[in-house]
Amino acid sequence: MYDVLIVGMGPAGLTAAVYTARKKLSTLLVGKQYGGQAARAAEIENYMGYQYITGAELMARFEEQVKKYPVQVVQAEVVSLGREDGHFVARTRDGRDFRSRTVIVAAGKSPRRLNVPGEGRLLGRGVSYCAVCDTPLFGGLDVAVVGGGNSALTAAYDLLKVARHVYVVSLGEWTADPVLVDKVKDAPNLTKLAGFEVVRIEGEERVSGIALRSLSDPREEKLLGVQGVFVEIGTVPNSGFVEGFLELNEKGEIKVDCECRTSVPGVFAAGDITDIPEKQVIVAAGEGAKAALGAYRYLLMAR
Ligand SMILES: Cc1cc2nc3c(=O)[nH]c(=O)nc-3n(C[C@H](O)[C@H](O)[C@H](O)COP(=O)(O)OP(=O)(O)OC[C@H]3O[C@@H](n4cnc5c(N)ncnc54)[C@H](O)[C@@H]3O)c2cc1C
C-alpha cells in the first residue's frame, strides 16, 4: 500500500514524484517510459533556467532528479484504475495490481491516428508520428505530411531540408501560425494538397504510396508515390483507463479544479491529460507539483 501512486513518467508525473517523495510520502511511479512527449522535442527554448536544451536532455535531468529520492518505479502500462475497500487499485497490462491511498494521473497525450488501412501495419516502416525523431531517415525521399496545423507545418519545414519532395495533405486550409506558413509556402519542393482526405497507406514491406480522396469530388482518388507518411493531426489524451471512473470533458481530458482535484476525492490529475488549456512542459511540471501537494494535504486531512 503506497501513499501515492503516480501514473505517467512525463514532466507532470516526474515532478509530482519529487514533490511527494520530499513530503516523505511512500511513492510509486508507474509509467510506460521515462520522458513522455517532451523527450521527443528537438529543442526546448521555453523551459525556464535553460535558454536552450533538447527535450531528451531535459527529461534525462528530470529522471536524474527523481532517482535521488526513494521513489519506487515500475515500468508498465496501467489499464484500469478503480476503488476497492477504501483505497485505489491500479492494474497494469501485465496483470499486476498496485494499491494506494491517493493517485495522481499524469498519463499525458498520444498522437491522433488516421485510422486508415495500412497505417498500423506500416508504422515504423515509413509511417511516423514523430517528425522530430524520424526526419533524418528520409533524406532524398518523397514524403507526405498529413495535417495543416502547427505540428504539421513544423514537420514539413524540417522535412523540406532533407527530403526530395514534401506533400502537405490537409482536409481544409492550413491553420498553422502565419510565421510557419511563411517559412514553407514558397518552397520549391513542397506541394500543398488542401481539401483531401487520406484513404489508405500503401506498401508491402515499407510505405510506397498514399491514396487520397478529394473532398470536392469524392470520385477523384489520387495516389502519391511516397516513401514516408508523417501523421501530424493532433493528439488525444491517454485517459481510456479512467473512463467511467473519473469525469472527462468532451475531448476525453480529465476535468480538474484549480488544485488538480478530479471528480473522485483522493484522485488528482496533472499535465496534458487534464482540461487545463495550455499543453507545455513548464505547465505540466507546475501542475504535477500542485497535484502532489494536493495529495499531501488530502492525506493529512484523512489521518
Ligand atoms: C514534438 C513535440 C515538441 C514539443 N515541444 C515543446 C516545447 O518546445 N516546449 C514545451 O513547453 N512543450 C513542448 N511540447 C509539449 C510537451 O512535451 C507536453 O506539454 C508535456 O510533455 C506534457 O507532459 P505530461 O507529463 O503531462 O505528459 P506526457 O509528456 O505525455 O507524459 C505522459 C507519460 O505517461 C505515459 N503513459 C500514458 N498512458 C499510460 C498508462 N496507461 N500507463 C502508464 N503510463 C502511461 C506516457 O508513456 C508518457 O511517458 C512538445 C511536444 C511534442 C510532441
Side-chain angles (χ1 to χ4, degrees):
M1 175 73 78
Y2 292 87
D3 289 326
V4 190
L5 185 153
I6 301 168
V7 185
M9 305 200 297
L14 296 177
T15 305
V18 167
Y19 269 75
T20 55
R22 286 175 61 81
K23 290 290 186 191
K24 302 258 185 229
L25 301 179
S26 59
T27 302
L28 174 68
L29 181 59
V30 186
K32 289 201 250 184
Q33 63 200 47
Y34 273 107
Q37 297 170 78
R40 292 172 23 212
E43 43 197 58
I44 294 183
E45 295 179 341
N46 52 6
Y47 193 81
M48 295 307 288
Y50 299 94
Q51 284 171 33
Y52 171 91
I53 188 162
T54 66
E57 200 183 337
L58 182 62
M59 287 302 98
R61 296 200 184 186
F62 273 51
E63 178 180 344
E64 200 183 320
Q65 196 159 347
V66 169
K67 286 181 171 164
K68 292 208 181 315
Y69 294 94
V71 173
Q72 181 80 35
V73 179
V74 168
Q75 209 146 351
E77 181 187 354
V78 174
V79 290
S80 72
L81 178 66
R83 196 169 212 157
E84 219 175 74
D85 303 331
H87 54 259
F88 299 104
V89 183
R91 172 157 295 172
T92 55
R93 188 166 293 286
D94 53 14
R96 286 178 287 171
D97 283 348
F98 296 97
R99 293 177 159 69
S100 63
R101 295 184 179 87
T102 62
V103 177
I104 297 173
V105 183
K109 289 192 154 191
S110 294
R112 184 187 297 281
R113 296 188 168 223
L114 283 166
N115 290 321
V116 295
E119 182 184 23
R121 186 171 53 80
L122 295 165
L123 176 60
R125 291 187 284 154
V127 174
S128 170
Y129 300 97
C130 182
V132 169
C133 324
D134 297 337
T135 292
L137 308 175
F138 292 83
L141 302 178
D142 297 335
V143 299
V145 174
V146 184
N150 282 339
S151 57
L153 290 208
T154 303
Y157 179 64
D158 291 343
L159 282 159
L160 282 169
K161 297 173 201 153
V162 301
R164 189 170 61 173
H165 201 89
V166 179
Y167 299 91
V168 180
V169 180
S170 56
L171 293 172
E173 266 314 310
W174 289 349
T175 54
D177 293 342
V179 288
L180 265 174
V181 174
D182 286 348
K183 278 184 178 176
V184 301
K185 69 178 188 339
D186 298 323
N189 57 336
L190 181 137
T191 302
K192 176 178 176 181
L193 294 166
F196 287 88
E197 67 175 337
V198 178
V199 181
R200 66 185 175 277
I201 300 172
E202 298 194 342
E204 290 297 323
E205 288 303 305
R206 296 193 55 81
V207 168
S208 60
I210 183 170
L212 311 177
R213 186 185 295 135
S214 163
L215 293 180
S216 57
D217 179 3
R219 286 163 305 172
E220 189 199 331
E221 194 171 294
K222 195 189 261 301
L223 184 66
L224 302 177
V226 293
Q227 295 79 52
V229 176
F230 288 82
V231 181
E232 297 285 350
I233 53 170
T235 50
V236 286
N238 298 317
S239 56
F241 70 99
V242 293
E243 244 178 75
F245 181 54
L246 302 180
E247 204 177 320
L248 308 179
N249 69 7
E250 66 294 343
K251 295 185 201 155
E253 297 167 336
I254 299 172
K255 286 187 174 184
V256 288
D257 68 9
C258 62
E259 293 182 41
C260 300
R261 289 181 294 210
T262 68
S263 54
V264 173
V267 180
F268 299 78
D272 279 18
I273 197 168
T274 69
D275 62 350
I276 294 285
E278 311 308 339
K279 313 299 184 195
Q280 290 283 284
V281 176
I282 201 159
V283 176
E287 292 288 308
K290 280 170 58 188
L293 296 174
Y296 175 65
R297 264 196 308 274
Y298 175 88
L299 288 168
L300 276 186
M301 307 288 270
R303 271 176 187 155

